[in-house]
Amino acid sequence: MKKSLLMIPCFGLLAACGGSDGGGSDETDPPYGYCSNAQEMTCTYPVSQLELRYTMYLRNDNSMYFRGDFYSDYKPPIYPYEMYVSDIDRVEIVQDGVVHSRENLSGIEFPTIDAMGAMYEFNWYRNDELVGYTTLDRLPEPISDISINSYELTNSVRIQWSAASDHRYDIDIHSLRCYSNGDVALSKESKQPNYIVSEGFAFASFDLLNHYNETIEGLKENYDQCSILADINGRNLLSVPDQHIGNITLNFKSNETLYIELF
């Protein structure tokens, strides 16, 4: 079945800023054109101080989350927290030779792109000169056939799924939440939030003592209902980005959020 990438905006602002600080010959050093040098504008920073990040989560219901953002370690951590795309920067995705440009001026948002493509190219131009470029030739496979069991005798939870070949999996173990009389009576974060699954395995087991210092028997004595929130993630080991130019990073993974009912 064909799937499509759902593009989510990063709420940037495309703007031509007033005021000029002069020109420059090196494309990695600002300023260019007209830029206010506002701390939230990409035009304020040289290319060497910027990172263009793309994130994609693929789920087994054929939905996808996709977004792009600019980041800079040199941007002050003050509002607005977003990095806004200025008029001198242009980003595009080329899928199997078809160029997809941002479809609106408010952020790094694209129209629907076929997720069954053979090749994806990610381009970043400054003043029409290519300063960032990377490719990806395959996406991760969705995580399917998930089953969850909890065992009071060993205080353990076992998660199993259908694993795809050449994939690596990990589980992010989040909060334990328990209820009494319909109200939240206990909320704990895991002491070991990330669980790496052994290569070649399609299951994982973790115990409540190690993660929350709790037992299932003890929880049953004190609460009416308890559950754990977790995420299982899969990455295709064969889809290693081919980084050619500049600082573009891709975080593409299959993802399923799990609500684990202990009792």
Side-chain angles (χ1 to χ4, degrees):
M1 177 183 292
K2 289 273 187 175
K3 298 181 287 291
S4 60
L5 292 172
L6 176 62
M7 304 304 177
I8 308 297
C10 65
F11 303 107
L13 174 66
L14 186 71
C17 308
S20 173
D21 295 315
S25 58
D26 185 349
E27 74 279 0
T28 63
D29 294 325
Y32 294 99
Y34 296 92
C35 181
S36 68
N37 289 333
Q39 55 90 17
E40 69 271 18
M41 300 296 297
T42 58
C43 58
T44 302
Y45 306 87
V47 169
S48 60
Q49 293 181 2
L50 291 172
E51 178 186 5
L52 175 56
R53 300 180 188 174
Y54 288 101
T55 300
M56 186 210 73
Y57 299 153
L58 167 65
R59 300 186 173 92
N60 63 20
D61 62 357
N62 295 324
S63 66
M64 291 189 183
Y65 169 87
F66 185 102
R67 73 177 284 161
D69 292 282
F70 273 104
Y71 291 86
S72 177
D73 291 336
Y74 296 85
K75 181 186 181 302
I78 57 176
Y79 181 84
Y81 302 108
E82 298 89 355
M83 179 71 73
Y84 296 156
V85 185
S86 57
D87 59 342
I88 65 171
D89 289 298
R90 173 165 57 93
V91 296
E92 64 185 23
I93 297 175
V94 183
Q95 179 223 316
D96 296 336
V98 178
V99 178
H100 297 275
S101 301
R102 293 187 301 153
E103 66 176 2
N104 64 48
L105 303 184
S106 63
I108 304 178
E109 180 182 4
F110 292 85
T112 300
I113 297 177
D114 184 6
M116 304 300 289
M119 178 65 70
Y120 303 90
E121 301 173 71
F122 301 85
N123 299 325
W124 168 20
Y125 296 87
R126 172 158 289 193
N127 290 322
D128 292 325
E129 181 169 346
L130 188 66
V131 295
Y133 172 72
T134 191
T135 64
L136 196 69
D137 62 356
R138 70 196 73 199
L139 299 179
E141 293 292 328
I143 301 166
S144 59
D145 301 322
I146 300 172
S147 63
I148 302 171
N149 294 285
S150 60
Y151 304 93
E152 184 173 343
L153 184 63
T154 58
N155 297 301
S156 63
V157 174
R158 178 183 172 93
I159 305 170
Q160 190 167 342
W161 61 93
S162 294
S165 61
D166 300 311
H167 279 58
R168 186 191 68 217
Y169 297 91
D170 64 85
I171 297 175
D172 295 323
I173 303 171
H174 304 303
S175 59
L176 165 69
R177 182 165 290 190
C178 297
Y179 297 83
S180 293
N181 299 320
D183 297 323
V184 177
L186 174 69
S187 183
K188 275 188 175 183
E189 294 299 321
S190 172
K191 295 186 295 183
Q192 303 176 35
N194 188 256
Y195 185 103
I196 304 299
V197 179
S198 298
E199 188 172 348
F201 285 80
F203 64 87
S205 295
F206 64 92
D207 65 83
L208 273 67
L209 278 171
N210 287 342
H211 286 271
Y212 303 104
N213 198 32
E214 300 283 353
T215 66
I216 296 179
E217 181 182 12
L219 293 173
K220 282 185 173 180
E221 291 177 355
N222 294 287
Y223 308 103
D224 301 328
Q225 179 185 6
C226 288
S227 60
I228 295 172
L229 180 66
D231 280 286
I232 181 170
N233 309 295
R235 292 177 171 83
N236 192 328
L237 298 177
L238 299 181
S239 60
V240 179
D242 183 8
Q243 187 79 44
H244 290 285
I245 301 173
N247 194 11
I248 300 179
T249 58
L250 307 178
N251 179 25
F252 287 1
K253 62 185 179 181
S254 52
N255 169 266
E256 293 294 329
T257 298
L258 311 178
Y259 295 93
I260 303 170
E261 298 288 344
L262 297 178
F263 57 89

